[in-house]
Amino acid sequence: MADLARCLVLVFVFTAMDLVWCEQCLPGPFHKPQPSPETNQFHDCLSWRQDSCCWPNVTLELKVNRSINLYPGFRWDYCENLTPECERFIKNEECFYQCEPSLVHFGDPGYKGAVKAVPICANYCDAWFQACQTDKTCEPNWYSGFNVSNGRYYCPNNHVCQTFQDAYKNGEGLCNIMWGPSFYYEKSNKKCMVMEFNSSLSNPNMDVRPTAAPPSGASKDHISSLAMLQTIMLMNWL
């Protein structure tokens, strides 16, 4: 009943009645049905504490264990420990996926619970690359490049750890490749999203909506081990 009350607000002004429908959240085992504030309960992902699609226990999990228990066996540091600044950007990406209300507009029709063609601001991608360029990865495409066995993730056979500099070349390569078709590098600062912002200000992502098509340089990979796992987890959750 509380969810219904949040989703359907009847505002009476004298004899006029306005009907306001709230946003829904992207479906997923760690997503709320509708966004809501968590002000003093968040342990991480603080950008979204005023209005979030993720539960507080998800932010605690990210703070303590990173994403290991969200996606069994999936790690950020297969090659070596990430530098603190790089890890912050990787964690921001997970916070963004779990908590951002506007991602409901970018759902991938091929995989329920996954996103597709989300425009990420160029300056954010460039800062992410700058923070991680000396860190290493065993696979450039984290969306579909890992081997999966018994629900756990492994680096590809005969993999070679390489720096982000070698794997992605620049911020555009990072945002277009790292998460497959999920994100792309957007040069217009009026039509893009960021993965971290000041929670005391309004969410800058709220007015961003899908465009007709991402630029030709963006990844079009649709065979995703991670998206498939998300779909399986979603089916088990339902």
Side-chain angles (χ1 to χ4, degrees):
M1 192 67 182
D3 287 341
L4 181 61
R6 175 172 171 77
C7 266
L8 184 59
V9 180
L10 298 178
V11 182
F12 291 91
V13 182
F14 297 103
T15 59
M17 183 177 73
D18 293 326
L19 204 56
V20 183
W21 292 94
C22 77
E23 294 279 7
Q24 302 295 304
C25 291
L26 193 72
F30 309 117
H31 295 163
K32 300 175 185 177
Q34 296 88 29
S36 62
E38 296 288 352
T39 309
N40 297 318
Q41 300 180 38
F42 261 26
H43 301 274
D44 215 323
C45 308
L46 299 181
S47 295
W48 290 274
R49 62 185 175 182
Q50 301 297 339
D51 197 38
S52 172
C53 279
C54 60
W55 299 103
N57 63 324
V58 173
T59 67
L60 177 61
E61 180 64 31
L62 284 172
K63 185 176 182 66
V64 175
N65 298 312
R66 296 182 287 186
S67 64
I68 293 174
N69 293 327
L70 298 180
Y71 311 109
F74 183 76
R75 296 166 42 198
W76 302 336
D77 55 355
Y78 286 99
C79 292
E80 58 186 31
N81 291 335
L82 298 174
T83 58
E85 187 63 12
C86 182
E87 182 169 305
R88 182 174 72 86
F89 275 89
I90 303 297
K91 184 183 293 184
N92 285 348
E93 185 280 328
E94 188 64 34
C95 288
F96 177 70
Y97 168 71
Q98 298 290 352
C99 305
E100 173 57 55
S102 293
L103 289 184
V104 70
H105 301 292
F106 293 85
D108 187 337
Y111 292 108
K112 190 173 183 180
V115 296
K116 178 181 177 183
V118 180
I120 306 300
C121 295
N123 59 356
Y124 186 89
C125 295
D126 294 339
W128 185 354
F129 176 77
Q130 185 67 32
C132 294
Q133 60 181 328
T134 61
D135 291 86
K136 293 183 178 180
T137 180
C138 67
E139 168 53 48
N141 190 329
W142 289 24
Y143 186 86
S144 62
F146 288 97
N147 291 338
V148 181
S149 177
N150 297 321
R152 301 186 71 83
Y153 290 82
Y154 301 92
C155 292
N157 297 334
N158 302 317
H159 73 273
V160 176
C161 287
Q162 56 183 326
T163 64
F164 277 51
Q165 172 71 56
D166 291 335
Y168 304 114
K169 309 304 180 187
N170 52 39
E172 184 170 5
L174 190 154
C175 278
N176 286 349
I177 296 171
M178 189 174 190
W179 288 104
S182 301
F183 311 128
Y184 72 90
Y185 185 91
E186 174 54 63
K187 295 180 181 178
S188 171
N189 60 11
K190 296 181 180 180
K191 300 178 181 179
C192 61
M193 294 189 178
V194 294
M195 297 182 181
E196 185 181 39
F197 53 89
N198 187 336
S199 64
S200 66
L201 304 177
S202 60
N203 185 337
N205 301 328
M206 294 305 292
D207 294 329
V208 181
R209 294 294 183 269
T211 56
S216 58
S219 172
K220 298 179 176 62
D221 183 0
H222 288 274
I223 304 174
S224 165
S225 53
L226 185 57
M228 289 176 68
L229 178 61
Q230 290 169 343
T231 302
I232 293 170
M233 292 172 69
L234 181 63
M235 292 174 65
N236 291 336
W237 171 68
L238 295 173

